[in-house]
Amino acid sequence: MKKNYSIHDVVKFTIQSENIPERMAIEYANFEKDHINNPDFVVEIGNFVPSKEDCYIVDHTYYIKEGYFYCKDSYKFGKWMIQVSGLESDQTHIKLSTNAVGTLVPDMFICAYVIDFFIRFKFESKGYSVVHASSMSKGGQAFLFPSQSGAGKTSTAIYLVESGYDYLGDDFVILHEGQVLSYPTALNIFAYNLNPAIRENLPAYDRAVLQLKDALYKLTARRIKIFTKMNPKDIPGLNITDASTLKAVYLLAQGDRLEITDAEPDVILNSLAINQKMESYPFFKYLLEYSYVFPNSNIARFWMTCAANLKNNLNSDTKLHNVSVPRQYSREVFEEFREALECGN
Amino acid sequence: MWQLNYNIHDLLTVKIQGNGMRDPTRNLRYSYFATADDPAESDIILNIGPFEPSHEGAEVIAHKYYVKENYFYCAEKGSGSNWKIEVFGFETGKTVINFDGRRHGVRGVVFPTFMAQEFLIPFIEYKLAKKNHFLIHGGAVCKDSQGYVVTGRPGVWKTSLLMDFVRTSDYQFLGDDRIILKGDGSMLSFPTSLFLFDFTLNKGKTEERNALDNFRLLVRVLTNKTEAISTGPVVGCKTIKKLLFVSRKTNHAVQTGPVTPQEGLQRLVTNNLAEYVESTKHSPIGQYNSYVQVYSLIFPDNDLLKHSDRMRKGLEGIVMNTPIQEIVLPFEYDQTVFNAFNKDILGQ
């Protein structure tokens, strides 16, 4: 089975696998194409034999040669084997095999750890920035809401849907020369971040499944956390727009009460850059090991390239703000935030 | 409650205190620096055992990191371990670390405080760099005030190479995991877990240990026969004759190659950083870089971020003025490797 994807005709990729599970298909459903030319990367899922000859071996774990990386890795119940060849070329080939847990929740291992990283890696290599933020737009003007996980990215986006805003993305979006490009991957829904707007529109069956997953999470002492995947298109009233001009950035952080202050560009750039690295595990480590062996490679400069991209892609007249969001992100808090947003504070 | 004091070459004092935590192997890691002096205020204090965090008023990031000025706290579950860490003086001044954590399995039982003690390394590195001493990931040996530095990523036969130096050529030992480099081209020793080096040196030909070796090591640790060190390390060494960047490949011969000073510098800095970065969560030391990043979200101008530039500036003179070389070792290590190495690289 083979699926082709194209994101804004900038980054194109192919996933090949005996079968592509639903949880994985839904993740990139909005990018699916019948046909693409010259994919930037191909991910082949299934057992494989690594080409370890003439490799540097690091820590008995990482096998590295020019343009090539191989390792076995694990986290909690998930185990995987990954081989990347053509790492520094226009056509990167990734082979990946996982244990049963990896197949059961491919979105957690295959998507979050590998495919998402390569999408961002290829965008950055072409001068685009991919930022950990939600973004919503009205009248062709976009607001960007970067934050760490759990500080209100998705909630802000969903509340704004109700206020007639168009959707660009709720987890990652793409920045290019002052424009925000949409990145509508599947929403990750868990009982604790369940926005009232979504809850009301969720069928009874889905609501029950959500409760079960929450119970499992508590029963296993917070070891097993399974998100419910939802295509943003399936949320009533949600309209995805392709691109929009970036008007203002509101950097969200958790606080005691709603508070909005002006921010310096360096603070925003620094925060976006740190977030990019923190969202790139385990590849942050993999690239670092590659950089040790090849200190003059583009890979060794990758994070500097990302920082330079951010600087280029954020227009100097974009308004920048810090926002502290209370832990209880109620409709009242949101309404206060929206007022500030709309009068350009 | 037990207490141990360490003095690192009169540059830093470290105190480790066990609170409700029995540990017969507590002194094994840093035994070389042990001292009877009990300073009123050590540069770093590590308290091991249960504690209540004082994180009120802190910014909470990603539901689990707590950051205040000069303060960091988190509680994490890794793969096969868990820990709670609170650091006062995260960035400036004296540092106090409260650590409560355990590793599952045999290692966690035999060495219950190793994980906590290992977490001291990035703090020692950072504080030493501010005093123009640069703790690098690598080992060194010395004879007649002339030394070789052997650096590289883990698992590339660094220790085996150093042991062959000691065994065959009367070199003295400065450390096989970390050493301190100084701007004037001299170095200071930083031997850790000496009992392990000593055991491996006397046991066999390479650093690899089989199940029987591990069992013998365990018996030795449990019967407290860990004091005798046949290879007393030296305090320092006046000049570095050569800086060797060692790596390991899947093929079969010793190879050598050039390294430019810029590549060497880049590798030294990356080599240190990579020790504080893990692909997935296993140990607190592997999370240290993440902790610094999280802290930097709230305090973007903090001094911890200046550390890598400090390292770069301090090490630049050393890589510029010292002969440096790349050595690629084969997949398997044996005596012929050292002989080839001896002939080609040392010219002996």
Side-chain angles (χ1 to χ4, degrees):
Chain A
M1 194 174 178
K2 185 171 151 181
K3 285 194 178 191
N4 295 315
Y5 301 93
S6 168
I7 309 177
H8 295 283
D9 272 332
V10 179
V11 169
K12 288 166 276 181
F13 63 100
T14 300
I15 302 176
Q16 285 173 23
S17 174
E18 212 163 282
N19 75 78
I20 297 176
E22 182 55 28
R23 287 183 70 87
M24 197 153 109
I26 192 175
E27 188 75 37
Y28 309 115
N30 297 327
F31 307 130
E32 208 179 322
K33 297 281 177 304
D34 292 334
H35 182 76
I36 53 163
N37 288 319
N38 305 323
D40 295 281
F41 65 94
V42 175
V43 184
E44 213 178 307
I45 300 164
N47 292 333
F48 67 93
V49 180
S51 330
K52 294 198 280 195
E53 63 284 347
D54 208 32
C55 276
Y56 289 92
I57 314 166
V58 176
D59 210 359
H60 310 281
T61 307
Y62 307 109
Y63 290 76
I64 295 165
K65 58 190 161 190
E66 211 159 347
Y68 179 93
F69 178 92
Y70 162 77
C71 76
K72 280 184 194 172
D73 211 339
S74 67
Y75 184 56
K76 292 185 182 171
F77 302 111
K79 284 193 171 73
W80 62 95
M81 256 170 89
I82 181 167
Q83 172 180 281
V84 183
S85 46
L87 180 57
E88 300 197 65
S89 85
D90 297 341
Q91 284 215 17
T92 305
H93 200 102
I94 301 142
K95 288 187 179 182
L96 188 67
S97 86
T98 65
N99 67 350
V101 174
T103 331
L104 212 63
V105 276
D107 49 309
M108 286 170 74
F109 294 96
I110 301 174
C111 299
Y113 284 0
V114 181
I115 301 178
D116 287 357
F117 173 77
F118 276 97
I119 293 172
R120 303 201 290 267
F121 178 75
K122 291 295 179 182
F123 267 110
E124 296 285 348
S125 307
K126 295 179 183 201
Y128 292 71
S129 294
V130 184
V131 293
H132 193 210
S134 63
S135 185
M136 300 297 287
S137 149
K138 199 175 202 177
Q141 297 197 307
F143 297 101
L144 187 73
F145 307 104
S147 91
Q148 294 292 316
S149 309
K153 277 191 314 285
T154 303
S155 298
T156 305
I158 301 299
Y159 276 130
L160 283 169
V161 168
E162 293 183 307
S163 311
Y165 280 69
D166 291 337
Y167 174 98
L168 285 149
D170 84 290
D171 197 17
F172 283 92
V173 287
I174 302 150
L175 296 184
H176 190 56
E177 295 173 348
Q179 291 269 311
V180 183
L181 308 185
S182 67
Y183 191 71
T185 49
L187 289 159
N188 284 323
I189 300 169
F190 203 64
Y192 72 73
N193 73 357
L194 190 59
N195 187 289
I198 299 179
R199 194 199 305 267
E200 285 151 27
N201 287 305
L202 219 52
Y205 172 78
D206 288 347
R207 232 179 301 174
V209 170
L210 215 51
Q211 293 305 326
L212 267 176
K213 286 173 180 168
D214 193 44
L216 181 69
Y217 180 60
K218 283 170 185 154
L219 269 173
T220 57
R222 289 188 288 176
R223 276 196 183 81
I224 299 179
K225 182 172 176 181
I226 305 171
F227 285 106
T228 294
K229 291 269 159 187
M230 196 169 177
N231 190 330
K233 276 193 174 143
D234 295 337
I235 292 174
L238 187 145
N239 178 41
I240 300 175
T241 185
D242 224 34
S244 181
T245 306
L246 179 60
K247 189 185 179 204
V249 178
Y250 291 85
L251 178 65
L252 310 180
Q254 218 163 66
D256 299 325
R257 54 187 189 84
L258 186 77
E259 202 176 345
I260 304 171
T261 52
D262 288 348
E264 291 298 314
D266 281 353
V267 172
I268 300 289
L269 289 171
N270 172 64
S271 175
L272 290 172
I274 290 175
N275 234 321
Q276 285 179 329
K277 291 180 201 168
M278 288 178 56
E279 290 299 318
S280 297
Y281 282 87
F283 269 89
F284 188 70
K285 174 70 169 180
Y286 298 167
L287 295 191
L288 197 58
E289 294 297 353
Y290 188 89
S291 307
Y292 178 85
V293 178
F294 299 108
N296 294 321
S297 62
N298 286 329
I299 298 294
R301 286 186 293 274
F302 179 66
W303 298 109
M304 280 188 268
T305 305
C306 293
N309 286 347
L310 276 173
K311 227 172 181 165
N312 293 336
N313 291 326
L314 213 60
N315 265 353
S316 54
D317 57 356
T318 305
K319 290 211 175 77
L320 308 172
H321 312 270
N322 280 314
V323 184
S324 89
V325 183
R327 196 176 275 267
Q328 288 299 325
Y329 194 0
S330 64
R331 197 171 291 272
E332 289 70 40
V333 172
F334 163 73
E335 284 304 332
E336 199 187 328
F337 183 21
R338 187 171 68 104
E339 238 166 71
L341 203 76
E342 288 180 345
C343 68
N345 178 5
Chain B
M1 170 110 170
W2 48 264
Q3 189 185 83
L4 294 162
N5 280 293
Y6 299 102
N7 182 330
I8 301 169
H9 298 295
D10 284 329
L11 294 164
L12 279 184
T13 53
V14 178
K15 191 195 293 286
I16 304 180
Q17 299 183 123
N19 186 8
M21 188 96 182
R22 227 181 64 82
D23 181 10
T25 61
R26 60 185 174 262
N27 191 31
L28 290 184
R29 190 175 176 92
Y30 300 113
S31 60
Y32 177 76
F33 297 115
T35 169
D37 300 341
D38 186 4
E41 214 185 353
S42 302
D43 296 300
I44 305 173
I45 298 173
L46 170 63
N47 295 309
I48 306 175
F51 67 92
E52 276 306 316
S54 338
H55 55 46
E56 62 289 338
E59 303 250 12
V60 187
I61 297 144
H63 301 297
K64 60 177 179 184
Y65 303 114
Y66 294 78
V67 172
K68 288 190 270 193
E69 196 169 357
N70 215 11
Y71 175 94
F72 178 87
Y73 169 78
C74 75
E76 296 198 280
K77 266 198 189 82
S79 294
S81 52
N82 58 63
W83 58 85
K84 264 169 76 181
I85 295 173
E86 178 175 49
V87 186
F88 299 91
F90 192 57
E91 179 186 353
T92 53
K94 309 275 182 195
T95 299
V96 177
I97 304 168
N98 293 329
F99 191 107
D100 183 18
R102 53 196 44 60
R103 185 191 302 241
H104 313 142
V106 179
R107 273 198 297 173
V109 174
V110 182
F111 307 112
T113 69
F114 254 43
M115 202 166 77
Q117 298 203 21
E118 187 182 47
F119 191 63
L120 286 169
I121 292 289
F123 294 91
I124 295 172
E125 178 186 319
Y126 168 68
K127 283 178 194 286
L128 283 178
K130 289 220 261 192
K131 298 186 174 192
N132 285 312
H133 285 69
F134 305 99
L135 187 73
I136 64 153
H137 180 219
V141 287
C142 182
K143 187 158 83 175
D144 308 325
S145 302
Q146 303 267 306
Y148 288 98
V149 174
V150 176
T151 177
R153 300 293 304 126
V156 297
W157 306 120
K158 284 195 300 286
T159 299
S160 299
L161 206 56
L162 291 163
M163 287 194 305
D164 268 339
F165 266 111
V166 173
R167 257 197 293 257
T168 64
S169 319
D170 301 324
Y171 275 88
Q172 281 177 301
F173 171 67
L174 282 95
D176 74 328
D177 188 35
R178 289 198 166 64
I179 45 153
I180 300 169
L181 302 186
K182 292 170 69 173
D184 64 2
S186 68
M187 46 183 168
L188 289 170
S189 62
F190 198 92
T192 50
S193 302
L194 267 173
F195 76 100
L196 190 61
F197 185 80
D198 194 59
F199 174 85
T200 319
L201 184 69
N202 292 317
K203 172 231 64 151
K205 293 185 172 65
T206 78
E207 66 199 71
E208 283 183 318
R209 296 191 305 269
N210 58 28
L212 184 64
D213 295 330
N214 278 331
F215 178 73
R216 285 196 189 121
L217 182 66
L218 185 66
V219 171
R220 218 211 258 204
V221 168
L222 293 177
T223 53
N224 268 328
K225 289 197 179 122
T226 45
E227 298 302 320
I229 300 299
S230 50
T231 46
V234 283
V235 171
C237 188
K238 212 164 147 226
T239 50
I240 302 168
K241 210 169 167 185
K242 222 175 218 179
L243 182 54
L244 302 170
F245 287 89
V246 183
S247 48
R248 179 190 183 200
K249 258 189 162 178
T250 41
N251 45 16
H252 302 286
V254 178
Q255 299 167 333
T256 64
V259 186
T260 67
Q262 277 317 310
E263 284 168 348
L265 186 60
Q266 187 65 27
R267 280 191 175 173
L268 287 177
V269 174
T270 308
N271 198 24
N272 272 23
L273 175 63
E275 291 300 288
Y276 308 143
V277 175
E278 290 172 322
S279 62
T280 57
K281 212 170 281 172
H282 289 274
S283 68
I285 189 173
Q287 295 301 311
Y288 175 75
N289 180 64
S290 299
Y291 298 165
V292 172
Q293 301 276 325
V294 166
Y295 186 79
S296 307
L297 279 172
I298 310 295
F299 300 103
D301 292 324
N302 74 74
D303 191 69
L304 295 163
L305 294 178
K306 296 180 186 133
H307 174 67
S308 73
D309 269 348
R310 225 171 260 151
M311 290 294 272
R312 228 173 265 276
K313 282 204 186 82
L315 295 169
E316 193 169 18
I318 299 168
V319 292
M320 297 295 284
N321 301 318
T322 313
I324 56 180
Q325 195 166 18
E326 161 144 44
I327 317 286
V328 184
L329 298 181
F331 188 71
E332 298 288 353
Y333 186 95
D334 58 35
Q335 190 61 43
T336 62
V337 171
F338 187 68
N339 292 343
F341 174 82
N342 222 341
K343 199 161 131 265
D344 295 353
I345 289 106
L346 310 181
Q348 285 164 5

